[in-house]
Coordinates of all heavy atoms in Angstrom, one line a residue:
G288 N -10.2 -1.7 -10.5 CA -10.5 -2.6 -9.4 C -9.4 -3.4 -8.9 O -9.3 -3.8 -7.7
N289 N -8.4 -3.8 -9.8 CA -7.3 -4.6 -9.5 C -6.3 -3.8 -8.5 O -5.5 -4.4 -7.8 CB -6.5 -5.0 -10.7 CG -7.3 -6.0 -11.6 OD1 -8.3 -5.7 -12.1 ND2 -6.7 -7.2 -11.7
L290 N -6.4 -2.5 -8.6 CA -5.4 -1.7 -7.8 C -5.5 -1.9 -6.3 O -4.5 -1.7 -5.6 CB -5.6 -0.2 -8.1 CG -5.4 0.3 -9.6 CD1 -5.6 1.8 -9.7 CD2 -4.0 -0.1 -10.0
L291 N -6.7 -2.3 -5.8 CA -6.8 -2.5 -4.4 C -5.9 -3.7 -3.9 O -5.1 -3.5 -3.0 CB -8.3 -2.9 -4.0 CG -8.5 -3.1 -2.5 CD1 -8.2 -1.9 -1.7 CD2 -10.0 -3.5 -2.3
E292 N -5.9 -4.8 -4.6 CA -5.0 -5.9 -4.2 C -3.6 -5.6 -4.6 O -2.7 -5.9 -3.8 CB -5.5 -7.2 -4.8 CG -4.9 -8.5 -4.2 CD -3.6 -8.9 -4.8 OE1 -3.2 -8.4 -5.8 OE2 -3.0 -9.9 -4.3
I293 N -3.4 -5.1 -5.8 CA -2.0 -4.8 -6.2 C -1.4 -3.8 -5.2 O -0.2 -4.0 -4.8 CB -2.0 -4.2 -7.6 CG1 -2.5 -5.2 -8.6 CG2 -0.7 -3.6 -8.0 CD1 -2.7 -4.7 -10.0
G294 N -2.1 -2.7 -4.9 CA -1.5 -1.7 -4.0 C -1.4 -2.1 -2.5 O -0.4 -1.9 -1.9
F295 N -2.5 -2.7 -2.0 CA -2.5 -3.1 -0.6 C -1.7 -4.3 -0.4 O -0.8 -4.3 0.5 CB -4.0 -3.4 -0.2 CG -4.7 -2.2 0.4 CD1 -4.4 -0.9 -0.1 CD2 -5.7 -2.4 1.3 CE1 -5.1 0.2 0.5 CE2 -6.4 -1.3 1.8 CZ -6.1 0.0 1.4
Q296 N -1.9 -5.4 -1.1 CA -1.2 -6.7 -0.8 C 0.2 -6.6 -1.4 O 1.1 -7.1 -0.8 CB -2.0 -7.8 -1.5 CG -3.3 -8.2 -0.8 CD -3.1 -9.3 0.2 OE1 -2.2 -10.0 0.2 NE2 -4.2 -9.5 1.0
G297 N 0.3 -6.0 -2.6 CA 1.6 -6.0 -3.3 C 2.5 -4.9 -2.9 O 3.7 -5.0 -2.8
G298 N 1.9 -3.7 -2.8 CA 2.7 -2.5 -2.4 C 3.4 -1.8 -3.6 O 3.1 -2.2 -4.8
H299 N 4.3 -0.9 -3.3 CA 4.9 -0.1 -4.4 C 5.7 -1.0 -5.4 O 5.8 -0.7 -6.6 CB 5.9 0.9 -3.8 CG 5.2 1.9 -2.9 ND1 4.9 1.7 -1.6 CD2 4.7 3.2 -3.2 CE1 4.3 2.8 -1.1 NE2 4.2 3.7 -2.0
G300 N 6.4 -2.0 -4.9 CA 7.2 -2.9 -5.7 C 6.3 -3.6 -6.8 O 6.7 -3.6 -7.9
T301 N 5.2 -4.1 -6.4 CA 4.3 -4.8 -7.3 C 3.8 -3.8 -8.4 O 3.7 -4.2 -9.6 CB 3.2 -5.4 -6.6 OG1 3.7 -6.4 -5.6 CG2 2.2 -6.2 -7.5
V302 N 3.4 -2.6 -7.9 CA 2.9 -1.6 -8.9 C 4.1 -1.3 -9.9 O 3.8 -1.2 -11.1 CB 2.5 -0.3 -8.2 CG1 2.0 0.7 -9.2 CG2 1.3 -0.6 -7.2
G303 N 5.3 -1.1 -9.4 CA 6.4 -0.9 -10.3 C 6.7 -2.0 -11.2 O 7.0 -1.8 -12.4
G304 N 6.5 -3.2 -10.7 CA 6.7 -4.4 -11.6 C 5.6 -4.5 -12.7 O 5.8 -5.1 -13.7
M305 N 4.5 -3.9 -12.4 CA 3.3 -3.9 -13.4 C 3.4 -2.8 -14.4 O 2.5 -2.7 -15.3 CB 2.0 -3.8 -12.6 CG 1.7 -4.9 -11.7 SD 1.3 -6.4 -12.6 CE 0.6 -7.4 -11.2
T306 N 4.5 -2.0 -14.4 CA 4.6 -0.8 -15.2 C 4.4 -1.2 -16.7 O 3.7 -0.5 -17.5 CB 5.9 -0.1 -15.0 OG1 6.0 0.4 -13.7 CG2 6.0 1.1 -16.0
D307 N 5.1 -2.2 -17.1 CA 5.0 -2.7 -18.5 C 3.6 -3.1 -18.9 O 3.2 -2.9 -20.1 CB 6.0 -3.8 -18.8 CG 7.4 -3.3 -18.8 OD1 7.6 -2.1 -19.0 OD2 8.4 -4.1 -18.6
V308 N 2.9 -3.7 -17.9 CA 1.5 -4.2 -18.2 C 0.6 -2.9 -18.5 O -0.2 -2.9 -19.4 CB 1.0 -5.0 -17.0 CG1 -0.4 -5.5 -17.4 CG2 1.9 -6.1 -16.7
F309 N 0.7 -1.9 -17.6 CA -0.1 -0.7 -17.8 C 0.3 0.0 -19.1 O -0.6 0.4 -19.8 CB 0.2 0.3 -16.6 CG -0.4 -0.2 -15.3 CD1 0.4 -0.4 -14.2 CD2 -1.7 -0.3 -15.1 CE1 -0.1 -0.8 -13.0 CE2 -2.3 -0.7 -13.9 CZ -1.4 -1.0 -12.8
N310 N 1.5 0.0 -19.4 CA 1.9 0.7 -20.7 C 1.5 -0.1 -21.9 O 1.1 0.4 -22.9 CB 3.5 0.8 -20.7 CG 3.9 1.9 -19.7 OD1 3.2 2.9 -19.5 ND2 5.1 1.8 -19.2
T311 N 1.6 -1.5 -21.8 CA 1.2 -2.3 -22.9 C -0.3 -2.1 -23.3 O -0.7 -2.1 -24.4 CB 1.5 -3.8 -22.6 OG1 2.9 -4.0 -22.4 CG2 1.0 -4.7 -23.7
F312 N -1.1 -2.0 -22.2 CA -2.5 -1.9 -22.5 C -3.0 -0.4 -22.4 O -4.2 -0.1 -22.2 CB -3.3 -2.7 -21.5 CG -3.1 -4.2 -21.7 CD1 -2.2 -4.9 -20.8 CD2 -3.6 -4.9 -22.7 CE1 -2.0 -6.3 -21.0 CE2 -3.4 -6.2 -22.9 CZ -2.5 -6.9 -22.0
K313 N -2.0 0.5 -22.5 CA -2.3 1.9 -22.7 C -3.1 2.6 -21.6 O -4.1 3.3 -21.8 CB -2.9 2.2 -24.1 CG -2.1 1.7 -25.2 CD -2.6 2.1 -26.6 CE -1.9 1.4 -27.7 NZ -0.4 1.5 -27.6
W314 N -2.8 2.2 -20.4 CA -3.4 2.9 -19.2 C -2.3 3.3 -18.3 O -2.1 2.8 -17.2 CB -4.4 2.0 -18.5 CG -5.1 2.7 -17.4 CD1 -5.7 3.9 -17.5 CD2 -5.4 2.2 -16.1 NE1 -6.3 4.3 -16.3 CE2 -6.2 3.2 -15.4 CE3 -5.2 1.0 -15.4 CZ2 -6.7 3.0 -14.1 CZ3 -5.7 0.8 -14.1 CH2 -6.4 1.9 -13.5
E315 N -1.5 4.3 -18.7 CA -0.3 4.8 -18.0 C -0.8 5.4 -16.6 O 0.0 5.4 -15.7 CB 0.4 5.8 -18.8 CG 1.2 5.3 -20.0 CD 0.3 5.0 -21.2 OE1 -0.9 5.4 -21.1 OE2 0.8 4.5 -22.2
D316 N -2.0 6.0 -16.6 CA -2.4 6.6 -15.3 C -2.5 5.5 -14.2 O -2.5 5.9 -13.0 CB -3.8 7.2 -15.5 CG -3.8 8.5 -16.3 OD1 -2.6 9.0 -16.6 OD2 -4.8 9.1 -16.6
G317 N -2.7 4.3 -14.6 CA -2.7 3.2 -13.6 C -1.5 3.1 -12.7 O -1.6 2.7 -11.5
I318 N -0.4 3.5 -13.3 CA 0.9 3.5 -12.5 C 0.8 4.5 -11.3 O 1.1 4.1 -10.2 CB 2.1 3.8 -13.4 CG1 2.2 2.8 -14.6 CG2 3.4 3.8 -12.6 CD1 3.1 3.2 -15.7
A319 N 0.5 5.7 -11.6 CA 0.4 6.7 -10.6 C -0.7 6.4 -9.5 O -0.5 6.5 -8.3 CB 0.1 8.1 -11.2
L320 N -1.8 5.9 -10.0 CA -2.9 5.5 -9.1 C -2.5 4.3 -8.3 O -2.9 4.2 -7.1 CB -4.2 5.2 -9.9 CG -4.8 6.3 -10.7 CD1 -5.9 5.9 -11.6 CD2 -5.3 7.4 -9.8
G321 N -1.8 3.3 -8.9 CA -1.3 2.2 -8.1 C -0.4 2.6 -7.0 O -0.5 2.1 -5.9
F322 N 0.6 3.5 -7.3 CA 1.5 3.9 -6.3 C 0.8 4.7 -5.2 O 1.2 4.6 -4.0 CB 2.6 4.9 -6.9 CG 3.6 4.2 -7.7 CD1 4.1 4.7 -8.9 CD2 4.2 3.0 -7.2 CE1 5.1 4.0 -9.6 CE2 5.2 2.3 -7.9 CZ 5.6 2.8 -9.1
T323 N -0.3 5.4 -5.5 CA -1.1 6.1 -4.5 C -1.8 5.1 -3.6 O -1.8 5.3 -2.4 CB -2.1 7.0 -5.2 OG1 -1.4 7.9 -6.1 CG2 -2.8 7.8 -4.2
V324 N -2.4 4.1 -4.2 CA -3.1 3.1 -3.4 C -2.1 2.4 -2.5 O -2.3 2.1 -1.3 CB -3.8 2.1 -4.3 CG1 -4.4 0.9 -3.4 CG2 -4.9 2.8 -5.0
A325 N -0.9 2.1 -3.0 CA 0.2 1.5 -2.2 C 0.6 2.3 -1.0 O 0.8 1.8 0.1 CB 1.4 1.1 -3.1
T326 N 0.8 3.6 -1.3 CA 1.2 4.6 -0.2 C 0.1 4.7 0.8 O 0.3 4.6 2.1 CB 1.4 6.0 -0.8 OG1 2.5 5.9 -1.8 CG2 1.9 6.9 0.3
C327 N -1.2 4.8 0.4 CA -2.3 4.8 1.3 C -2.4 3.5 2.1 O -2.6 3.5 3.3 CB -3.6 5.0 0.6 SG -3.8 6.6 -0.2
G328 N -2.1 2.4 1.5 CA -2.2 1.1 2.1 C -1.1 1.0 3.2 O -1.4 0.4 4.3
M329 N 0.1 1.5 2.9 CA 1.2 1.4 3.9 C 0.8 2.3 5.2 O 1.0 1.8 6.3 CB 2.5 1.9 3.3 CG 3.7 1.8 4.3 SD 5.2 2.2 3.5 CE 5.5 0.8 2.4
I330 N 0.2 3.4 4.9 CA -0.2 4.3 6.0 C -1.4 3.7 6.8 O -1.4 3.7 8.0 CB -0.6 5.7 5.5 CG1 0.7 6.4 4.9 CG2 -1.2 6.6 6.6 CD1 0.4 7.7 4.2
V331 N -2.3 3.1 6.1 CA -3.4 2.4 6.7 C -3.0 1.3 7.6 O -3.4 1.1 8.7 CB -4.4 1.9 5.6 CG1 -5.4 0.9 6.2 CG2 -5.2 3.1 5.1
G332 N -2.0 0.5 7.0 CA -1.5 -0.7 7.7 C -0.9 -0.3 9.1 O -1.1 -0.9 10.1
I333 N -0.2 0.8 9.1 CA 0.5 1.3 10.3 C -0.5 2.0 11.3 O -0.6 1.6 12.4 CB 1.6 2.2 10.0 CG1 2.7 1.5 9.2 CG2 2.3 2.8 11.2 CD1 3.8 2.4 8.6
V334 N -1.2 3.0 10.8 CA -2.1 3.8 11.6 C -3.3 3.0 12.1 O -3.5 2.9 13.3 CB -2.6 5.0 10.9 CG1 -3.6 5.8 11.7 CG2 -1.4 5.9 10.5
V335 N -4.0 2.3 11.2 CA -5.2 1.5 11.6 C -4.7 0.3 12.4 O -5.4 -0.2 13.3 CB -6.0 1.1 10.4 CG1 -7.2 0.2 10.8 CG2 -6.5 2.4 9.7
G336 N -3.5 -0.3 12.0 CA -3.0 -1.4 12.7 C -2.7 -1.1 14.2 O -3.0 -1.8 15.1
M337 N -2.1 0.1 14.4 CA -1.9 0.5 15.8 C -3.2 0.8 16.6 O -3.3 0.5 17.8 CB -1.0 1.8 15.8 CG 0.4 1.6 15.3 SD 1.3 0.2 16.1 CE 1.4 0.9 17.8
A338 N -4.2 1.3 15.9 CA -5.5 1.5 16.5 C -6.1 0.1 16.9 O -6.7 0.0 18.0 CB -6.4 2.2 15.5
L339 N -6.0 -0.9 16.0 CA -6.5 -2.2 16.3 C -5.7 -2.8 17.5 O -6.3 -3.5 18.4 CB -6.4 -3.1 15.1 CG -7.4 -2.9 14.0 CD1 -7.0 -3.7 12.8 CD2 -8.8 -3.3 14.5
I340 N -4.4 -2.5 17.6 CA -3.7 -3.0 18.8 C -4.2 -2.4 20.1 O -4.3 -3.1 21.1 CB -2.2 -2.7 18.5 CG1 -1.6 -3.6 17.4 CG2 -1.4 -2.9 19.8 CD1 -0.2 -3.3 17.0
N341 N -4.4 -1.1 20.0 CA -5.0 -0.4 21.2 C -6.3 -1.0 21.6 O -6.7 -1.2 22.8 CB -5.1 1.1 21.0 CG -3.7 1.7 21.0 OD1 -2.8 1.4 21.7 ND2 -3.5 2.7 20.1
W342 N -7.2 -1.3 20.6 CA -8.5 -1.9 20.8 C -8.3 -3.3 21.5 O -9.0 -3.6 22.5 CB -9.2 -2.0 19.5 CG -10.5 -2.9 19.6 CD1 -11.7 -2.5 20.1 CD2 -10.6 -4.3 19.2 NE1 -12.6 -3.6 20.0 CE2 -11.9 -4.7 19.4 CE3 -9.6 -5.2 18.6 CZ2 -12.3 -6.0 19.2 CZ3 -10.1 -6.4 18.4 CH2 -11.4 -6.9 18.6
A343 N -7.4 -4.1 20.9 CA -7.2 -5.4 21.5 C -6.6 -5.4 22.9 O -6.9 -6.2 23.7 CB -6.2 -6.2 20.6
L344 N -5.8 -4.4 23.2 CA -5.2 -4.2 24.5 C -6.3 -3.9 25.5 O -6.4 -4.5 26.6 CB -4.2 -3.1 24.5 CG -3.4 -2.9 25.8 CD1 -2.6 -4.2 26.1 CD2 -2.4 -1.7 25.6
K345 N -7.2 -3.0 25.2 CA -8.4 -2.7 26.1 C -9.3 -3.8 26.3 O -9.9 -4.0 27.4 CB -9.1 -1.5 25.5 CG -8.3 -0.2 25.5 CD -9.1 1.0 24.9 CE -8.3 2.3 24.9 NZ -9.1 3.4 24.3
K346 N -9.5 -4.7 25.2 CA -10.4 -5.8 25.3 C -9.7 -7.0 26.0 O -10.4 -8.0 26.3 CB -10.8 -6.2 23.9 CG -11.7 -5.3 23.2 CD -13.1 -5.2 23.8 CE -14.1 -4.3 23.1 NZ -15.4 -4.3 23.6
G347 N -8.4 -6.9 26.3 CA -7.7 -8.0 26.9 C -7.3 -9.1 26.0 O -7.0 -10.2 26.5
H348 N -7.3 -8.9 24.7 CA -6.9 -10.0 23.8 C -5.4 -10.1 23.8 O -4.9 -11.2 23.4 CB -7.4 -9.6 22.4 CG -8.9 -9.6 22.3 ND1 -9.7 -10.5 22.8 CD2 -9.7 -8.6 21.7 CE1 -11.0 -10.2 22.5 NE2 -11.0 -9.0 21.9
I349 N -4.7 -9.1 24.2 CA -3.2 -9.2 24.2 C -2.7 -8.5 25.5 O -3.4 -7.7 26.1 CB -2.6 -8.5 23.0 CG1 -3.2 -7.1 22.8 CG2 -2.7 -9.3 21.7 CD1 -2.5 -6.2 21.7
K350 N -1.5 -9.0 25.9 CA -0.9 -8.4 27.1 C 0.5 -8.0 26.9 O 1.0 -7.1 27.5 CB -1.0 -9.4 28.2 CG -2.4 -9.8 28.6 CD -2.4 -10.9 29.7 CE -3.9 -11.2 30.1 NZ -3.9 -12.3 31.1
E351 N 1.2 -8.6 26.0 CA 2.7 -8.4 25.8 C 2.9 -7.2 24.8 O 3.5 -7.4 23.7 CB 3.4 -9.6 25.3 CG 3.3 -10.8 26.3 CD 4.1 -10.6 27.5 OE1 5.1 -9.8 27.4 OE2 3.8 -11.2 28.5
V352 N 2.4 -6.1 25.1 CA 2.5 -4.9 24.2 C 3.5 -3.9 24.7 O 3.5 -3.6 25.9 CB 1.1 -4.2 24.0 CG1 1.3 -3.0 23.2 CG2 0.1 -5.2 23.4
K353 N 4.4 -3.5 23.8 CA 5.3 -2.5 24.2 C 4.9 -1.2 23.5 O 5.2 -1.1 22.3 CB 6.7 -2.9 23.8 CG 7.9 -2.1 24.4 CD 9.2 -2.8 24.1 CE 10.3 -2.1 24.8 NZ 11.7 -2.7 24.5
T354 N 4.3 -0.3 24.2 CA 3.8 0.9 23.6 C 4.9 1.8 23.2 O 6.1 1.6 23.6 CB 2.8 1.7 24.6 OG1 3.6 2.1 25.7 CG2 1.7 0.8 25.0
F355 N 4.6 2.8 22.4 CA 5.6 3.8 21.9 C 6.3 4.5 23.1 O 7.5 4.6 23.1 CB 5.0 4.8 21.0 CG 6.0 5.8 20.5 CD1 6.8 5.5 19.4 CD2 6.1 7.1 21.1 CE1 7.7 6.4 18.9 CE2 7.0 8.0 20.6 CZ 7.8 7.7 19.5

Side-chain angles (χ1 to χ4, degrees):
N289 291 63
L290 296 182
L291 181 59
E292 198 270 352
I293 292 173
F295 269 31
Q296 292 263 346
H299 296 86
T301 301
V302 178
M305 296 286 194
T306 298
D307 288 340
V308 184
F309 289 117
N310 289 330
T311 298
F312 295 103
K313 304 189 185 314
W314 188 41
E315 290 80 4
D316 287 355
I318 302 169
L320 296 173
F322 283 142
T323 304
V324 174
T326 303
C327 291
M329 186 175 288
I330 295 172
V331 163
I333 296 169
V334 176
V335 178
M337 294 305 296
L339 284 170
I340 288 173
N341 289 323
W342 168 81
L344 186 61
K345 290 178 181 178
K346 292 289 185 178
H348 298 310
I349 49 174
K350 297 178 181 178
E351 300 290 335
V352 175
K353 196 172 185 180
T354 63
F355 179 81

